[in-house]
Amino acid sequence: MAFRKAVKGTVLIGGGAIATVFGLSQFSQYRNKHGNFLYVQAAEPVNIPMKNHFPTREDQFLALQNTSEFDVLVIGGGATGCGCALDAVTRGLKTALVERDDFSSGTSSRSTKLIHGGVRYLQKAIMRLDFEQYRMVKEALHERANLLEIAPHLSGPLPIMLPVYKWWQLPYYWVGIKLYDLVAGSQCLKSSYVLSKSRALELFPMLRKDRLVGAIVYYDGQHNDARMNLAIALTAARYGAATANYTEVVHLLKKTDPKSGKECVCGARCKDVLTGQEFDVKAKCVINATGPFTDSVRKMDDQEVSNICQPSAGVHIVMPGYYSPDNMGLLDPATSDGRVIFFLPWEKMTIAGTTDTPTEVTHHPIPTEEDINFILTEVRNYLSCDVEVRRGDVLAAWSGIRPLVTDPSSKDTQSISRNHVVAVSDSGLVTIAGGKWTTYRSMAQDTIDAAIEAHNLKAGPCKTVGLFLQGAKDWSPTLYIRLVQDYGLESEVAQHLASTYGDKAFEVAKIAQVTGKRWPIVGKRLVSEFPYIEAEVMYGVKEYACTAVDMISRRTRLAFLNVQAADEALPRIIDIMGKELHWSEQKKKEELESAKKFLYYEMGYKAKVGQLTDSSEITLIPSDIDRYKKRFHMFDKEKKGFITILDVQSVLESISIQIDENTLHEILNEVDLNKNGQVELDEFLQLMSAIQKGYVSGSRLAVLMKTAEENLRERVVIPVDRSGGGL
């Protein structure tokens, strides 16, 4: 009865708010100079022919060096920069793009993986009657619909549950979410709905039960951010844009305008980061789309210009998939410090985040233990006490720098703009800053519009609304079945290829190696628990991957899903890339060292390894210590006080378990804290103590020793008289 009353009460509470939003919606449609689309309607068709294959990196460099002058040179290969390049080239402008690192190597690959309008921004718009915030949400919801349309293989709708623990919150949140649906209009993915307590627990059984009164489910979009960014870059390349990663801007080129006498930006001095070769790229217009590094490029233009970027770090963690349902996310709208935390299924894992703390701009942001523990604490508040949220279950962690900006044309330079800002300097440098992933396309449109106006470029209207990205045109939800039937791929691998490459998955399948097994026929996995196959490494090189880090983090997403799995896959990945790119043995060693450093610092491996150190406290009770000592001494039969690979091999052979020596070395090395080639009793007790406290999980040595102990105990000698034999 109380539940029904609460739901009915929402009608009275929300009536005025709904009327307000409806009025704003009508006013917005009148005000919006671009017009709103009832559905995602494709813009004018692109008249430029699209190449069947994207050019090689070498071809792109030749284009950059041999073209006398481009119309547009974009600096920055993130989502916005690649969006600008695609927008410009499809309007018929001669376009170039350079990126100092890899495409999507910065913030664009380190997002929450959501394509959303921003529920919290709508709340602020209503509470403060802020039309600008409302317009931003309206725009983002349109862009959400467009992105789901133009790259359906990389994105899709995701239901997100908002659990409610107080009766009065149910109508409050219900009104807010219904307003979100209303603002989306015909582009609403699916209608939100209210759940009873029992139904909420049925759909999200890990949820905390006590005091739960119900839940509200709404829909937003989710995507594979790095692959989406890459798809935009590859689409631009196929339309004729000269795009090059690992190409750094050394300084901007300038010339004096004969009419005005002013110095104007006319290109950039660029350097191939991999070879050190420098060359000039001339352009009528240069666009600064460098995210957190916006101010560094602006200062290349004018050393005296004030900073507009206020960087904020957002940390995310990845946990095993069993922490969340396969197709239901969770939103914590009010954490202990007022932030919002998402808890979402992604790539069969669970992603949780984000934090929001001021930071310095760096190419290598590092997730801190403090931020990781903050997220874990908030997750514990919402999950059932039956689910032990362990620090050791954090499989990967990363930090992304969100480039919040102040509008340089605003009188109040201290006010942060939640929307994007397009600014043109006195010398003609066009800067696009701020905004968010979802609105990359509209940001690019505004930027190219500004560039055309500022530099009198001859170009048509924007054509990127409804323009399919790489892999989308002939994709269908059942495409993976053809991959299974035509090539003999595992179903899981086929689904992964289809959802990653779209209709280009066949190109990957064609180069997949024969396994030599009855099934699957082709497709050798890089690591057993993930569907990534060796052929993807070869194809990734064609997609401009230049380093092992590119491969484990952006062509595949291994580093973002499980740092240990990525570490295990590195040797094979480097071998394949070495053959494709003709690396020397020295180059292979450098790549391995660089990739391991990336995993250790930027992907949370350091924080994970730091949970077990030689100073870790042993907090076991006496009975547990005795039990673990007995287990240890089953391997240390000579009472040396330590165990080696030979000790472990001897015990495993006695119970008919075969593990190769290299794998055993890796297993012991995980626990060998002082790195002396052996595991001492204290190190083993520190490990078991850390496991009990939840700091460490999935220790192969601990599982191996427990299994061996159980096997040995089961091998009881049966007396002759009971076995039925003997005289």
Side-chain angles (χ1 to χ4, degrees), residues 277-290:
Q277 178 189 5
E278 292 192 9
F279 53 92
D280 289 341
V281 178
K282 300 287 184 66
K284 296 173 184 174
C285 171
V286 176
I287 294 173
N288 171 18
T290 53

PDB file of all heavy atoms in Angstrom, residues 277-290:
ATOM      1  N   GLN A 277      62.230  12.297 -37.407  1.00  0.00           N
ATOM      2  CA  GLN A 277      62.199  13.143 -38.602  1.00  0.00           C
ATOM      3  C   GLN A 277      61.250  14.323 -38.398  1.00  0.00           C
ATOM      4  O   GLN A 277      60.139  14.167 -37.904  1.00  0.00           O
ATOM      5  CB  GLN A 277      61.748  12.321 -39.815  1.00  0.00           C
ATOM      6  CG  GLN A 277      61.644  13.136 -41.100  1.00  0.00           C
ATOM      7  CD  GLN A 277      60.981  12.359 -42.227  1.00  0.00           C
ATOM      8  OE1 GLN A 277      60.518  11.232 -42.022  1.00  0.00           O
ATOM      9  NE2 GLN A 277      60.915  12.942 -43.418  1.00  0.00           N
ATOM     10  N   GLU A 278      61.690  15.540 -38.797  1.00  0.00           N
ATOM     11  CA  GLU A 278      60.864  16.736 -38.677  1.00  0.00           C
ATOM     12  C   GLU A 278      60.481  17.263 -40.059  1.00  0.00           C
ATOM     13  O   GLU A 278      61.233  17.125 -41.021  1.00  0.00           O
ATOM     14  CB  GLU A 278      61.596  17.825 -37.885  1.00  0.00           C
ATOM     15  CG  GLU A 278      61.800  17.472 -36.416  1.00  0.00           C
ATOM     16  CD  GLU A 278      62.258  18.662 -35.591  1.00  0.00           C
ATOM     17  OE1 GLU A 278      62.257  19.799 -36.126  1.00  0.00           O
ATOM     18  OE2 GLU A 278      62.600  18.467 -34.407  1.00  0.00           O
ATOM     19  N   PHE A 279      59.286  17.863 -40.127  1.00  0.00           N
ATOM     20  CA  PHE A 279      58.806  18.412 -41.396  1.00  0.00           C
ATOM     21  C   PHE A 279      57.707  19.424 -41.098  1.00  0.00           C
ATOM     22  O   PHE A 279      57.108  19.421 -40.015  1.00  0.00           O
ATOM     23  CB  PHE A 279      58.272  17.302 -42.314  1.00  0.00           C
ATOM     24  CG  PHE A 279      57.238  16.410 -41.665  1.00  0.00           C
ATOM     25  CD1 PHE A 279      55.882  16.695 -41.772  1.00  0.00           C
ATOM     26  CD2 PHE A 279      57.622  15.297 -40.927  1.00  0.00           C
ATOM     27  CE1 PHE A 279      54.934  15.892 -41.174  1.00  0.00           C
ATOM     28  CE2 PHE A 279      56.679  14.480 -40.323  1.00  0.00           C
ATOM     29  CZ  PHE A 279      55.335  14.773 -40.445  1.00  0.00           C
ATOM     30  N   ASP A 280      57.439  20.277 -42.068  1.00  0.00           N
ATOM     31  CA  ASP A 280      56.397  21.295 -41.922  1.00  0.00           C
ATOM     32  C   ASP A 280      55.094  20.827 -42.564  1.00  0.00           C
ATOM     33  O   ASP A 280      55.105  20.173 -43.616  1.00  0.00           O
ATOM     34  CB  ASP A 280      56.821  22.604 -42.593  1.00  0.00           C
ATOM     35  CG  ASP A 280      57.940  23.308 -41.834  1.00  0.00           C
ATOM     36  OD1 ASP A 280      58.133  22.994 -40.639  1.00  0.00           O
ATOM     37  OD2 ASP A 280      58.627  24.156 -42.445  1.00  0.00           O
ATOM     38  N   VAL A 281      53.996  21.153 -41.910  1.00  0.00           N
ATOM     39  CA  VAL A 281      52.667  20.922 -42.475  1.00  0.00           C
ATOM     40  C   VAL A 281      51.977  22.277 -42.559  1.00  0.00           C
ATOM     41  O   VAL A 281      51.704  22.904 -41.524  1.00  0.00           O
ATOM     42  CB  VAL A 281      51.834  19.947 -41.609  1.00  0.00           C
ATOM     43  CG1 VAL A 281      50.443  19.769 -42.213  1.00  0.00           C
ATOM     44  CG2 VAL A 281      52.526  18.601 -41.484  1.00  0.00           C
ATOM     45  N   LYS A 282      51.735  22.753 -43.777  1.00  0.00           N
ATOM     46  CA  LYS A 282      51.098  24.056 -43.982  1.00  0.00           C
ATOM     47  C   LYS A 282      49.576  23.887 -44.017  1.00  0.00           C
ATOM     48  O   LYS A 282      49.060  22.901 -44.549  1.00  0.00           O
ATOM     49  CB  LYS A 282      51.568  24.670 -45.296  1.00  0.00           C
ATOM     50  CG  LYS A 282      53.074  24.911 -45.389  1.00  0.00           C
ATOM     51  CD  LYS A 282      53.492  26.092 -44.525  1.00  0.00           C
ATOM     52  CE  LYS A 282      54.976  26.405 -44.697  1.00  0.00           C
ATOM     53  NZ  LYS A 282      55.290  26.884 -46.056  1.00  0.00           N
ATOM     54  N   ALA A 283      48.861  24.858 -43.469  1.00  0.00           N
ATOM     55  CA  ALA A 283      47.394  24.799 -43.461  1.00  0.00           C
ATOM     56  C   ALA A 283      46.819  26.201 -43.335  1.00  0.00           C
ATOM     57  O   ALA A 283      47.404  27.074 -42.683  1.00  0.00           O
ATOM     58  CB  ALA A 283      46.901  23.932 -42.314  1.00  0.00           C
ATOM     59  N   LYS A 284      45.668  26.402 -43.976  1.00  0.00           N
ATOM     60  CA  LYS A 284      44.984  27.693 -43.865  1.00  0.00           C
ATOM     61  C   LYS A 284      44.446  27.909 -42.458  1.00  0.00           C
ATOM     62  O   LYS A 284      44.355  29.043 -41.979  1.00  0.00           O
ATOM     63  CB  LYS A 284      43.834  27.747 -44.872  1.00  0.00           C
ATOM     64  CG  LYS A 284      44.283  27.697 -46.327  1.00  0.00           C
ATOM     65  CD  LYS A 284      43.089  27.578 -47.273  1.00  0.00           C
ATOM     66  CE  LYS A 284      43.568  27.419 -48.718  1.00  0.00           C
ATOM     67  NZ  LYS A 284      42.433  27.164 -49.645  1.00  0.00           N
ATOM     68  N   CYS A 285      44.056  26.808 -41.815  1.00  0.00           N
ATOM     69  CA  CYS A 285      43.492  26.893 -40.455  1.00  0.00           C
ATOM     70  C   CYS A 285      44.074  25.779 -39.600  1.00  0.00           C
ATOM     71  O   CYS A 285      44.138  24.625 -40.036  1.00  0.00           O
ATOM     72  CB  CYS A 285      41.973  26.772 -40.518  1.00  0.00           C
ATOM     73  SG  CYS A 285      41.182  26.616 -38.899  1.00  0.00           S
ATOM     74  N   VAL A 286      44.480  26.106 -38.390  1.00  0.00           N
ATOM     75  CA  VAL A 286      44.968  25.109 -37.434  1.00  0.00           C
ATOM     76  C   VAL A 286      43.988  25.030 -36.275  1.00  0.00           C
ATOM     77  O   VAL A 286      43.598  26.059 -35.708  1.00  0.00           O
ATOM     78  CB  VAL A 286      46.377  25.456 -36.906  1.00  0.00           C
ATOM     79  CG1 VAL A 286      46.816  24.454 -35.839  1.00  0.00           C
ATOM     80  CG2 VAL A 286      47.378  25.473 -38.053  1.00  0.00           C
ATOM     81  N   ILE A 287      43.577  23.801 -35.935  1.00  0.00           N
ATOM     82  CA  ILE A 287      42.617  23.583 -34.852  1.00  0.00           C
ATOM     83  C   ILE A 287      43.304  22.886 -33.686  1.00  0.00           C
ATOM     84  O   ILE A 287      43.956  21.859 -33.855  1.00  0.00           O
ATOM     85  CB  ILE A 287      41.427  22.735 -35.345  1.00  0.00           C
ATOM     86  CG1 ILE A 287      40.628  23.514 -36.398  1.00  0.00           C
ATOM     87  CG2 ILE A 287      40.518  22.330 -34.184  1.00  0.00           C
ATOM     88  CD1 ILE A 287      39.529  22.698 -37.060  1.00  0.00           C
ATOM     89  N   ASN A 288      43.149  23.465 -32.521  1.00  0.00           N
ATOM     90  CA  ASN A 288      43.707  22.916 -31.280  1.00  0.00           C
ATOM     91  C   ASN A 288      42.622  22.105 -30.578  1.00  0.00           C
ATOM     92  O   ASN A 288      41.694  22.654 -30.002  1.00  0.00           O
ATOM     93  CB  ASN A 288      44.197  24.071 -30.390  1.00  0.00           C
ATOM     94  CG  ASN A 288      44.604  23.622 -28.993  1.00  0.00           C
ATOM     95  OD1 ASN A 288      44.849  22.438 -28.747  1.00  0.00           O
ATOM     96  ND2 ASN A 288      44.685  24.578 -28.069  1.00  0.00           N
ATOM     97  N   ALA A 289      42.744  20.767 -30.656  1.00  0.00           N
ATOM     98  CA  ALA A 289      41.754  19.871 -30.028  1.00  0.00           C
ATOM     99  C   ALA A 289      42.506  18.883 -29.146  1.00  0.00           C
ATOM    100  O   ALA A 289      42.416  17.672 -29.325  1.00  0.00           O
ATOM    101  CB  ALA A 289      40.942  19.147 -31.085  1.00  0.00           C
ATOM    102  N   THR A 290      43.242  19.415 -28.179  1.00  0.00           N
ATOM    103  CA  THR A 290      44.179  18.586 -27.408  1.00  0.00           C
ATOM    104  C   THR A 290      43.722  18.282 -25.984  1.00  0.00           C
ATOM    105  O   THR A 290      44.523  17.837 -25.157  1.00  0.00           O
ATOM    106  CB  THR A 290      45.567  19.259 -27.364  1.00  0.00           C
ATOM    107  OG1 THR A 290      45.423  20.610 -26.903  1.00  0.00           O
ATOM    108  CG2 THR A 290      46.208  19.268 -28.737  1.00  0.00           C
TER     109      THR A 290
END
